[in-house]
Amino acid sequence: MFDEVSTIRARFTMRLRCHNCKHITTRTIESPDLEDAPCSVEELLESAWLQRQSFACGECENPIATLISVKQEEVV
């Protein structure tokens, strides 16, 4: 059996609040195992990679949200 090599550098759980209906959504994103990809919450918040992520509220489909919190999860 072959060992699977992880292609994920880091995993983050974000809490977002919709600008329209104020619904709070939890979303998990995974940073790829690339040299310039963020590997900590600080790097994620400072990166342009986070700004390129898209969002659509599950309640009203509004594409604009406020980031409330970010938590780094363990990559297994």
Side-chain angles (χ1 to χ4, degrees):
M1 183 177 243
F2 296 100
D3 290 332
E4 187 174 317
V5 177
S6 175
T7 59
I8 299 170
R9 175 174 267 195
R11 180 176 291 127
F12 305 97
T13 299
M14 303 184 305
R15 290 183 65 224
L16 304 145
R17 178 181 292 126
C18 175
H19 275 236
N20 183 46
C21 70
K22 308 301 183 204
H23 180 75
I24 295 178
T25 302
T26 302
R27 180 171 174 206
T28 301
I29 59 172
E30 295 175 338
S31 176
D33 193 14
L34 301 173
E35 184 177 326
D36 61 343
C39 62
S40 69
V41 172
E42 292 80 18
E43 287 181 11
L44 176 68
L45 294 176
E46 295 172 358
S47 73
W49 187 76
L50 179 60
Q51 296 173 0
R52 292 190 301 261
Q53 299 301 308
S54 62
F55 168 78
C57 177
E59 297 292 315
C60 70
E61 299 182 9
N62 183 49
I64 303 170
T66 300
L67 181 62
I68 298 172
S69 66
V70 180
K71 177 182 171 187
Q72 187 164 0
E73 304 292 341
E74 183 178 341
V75 177
V76 206

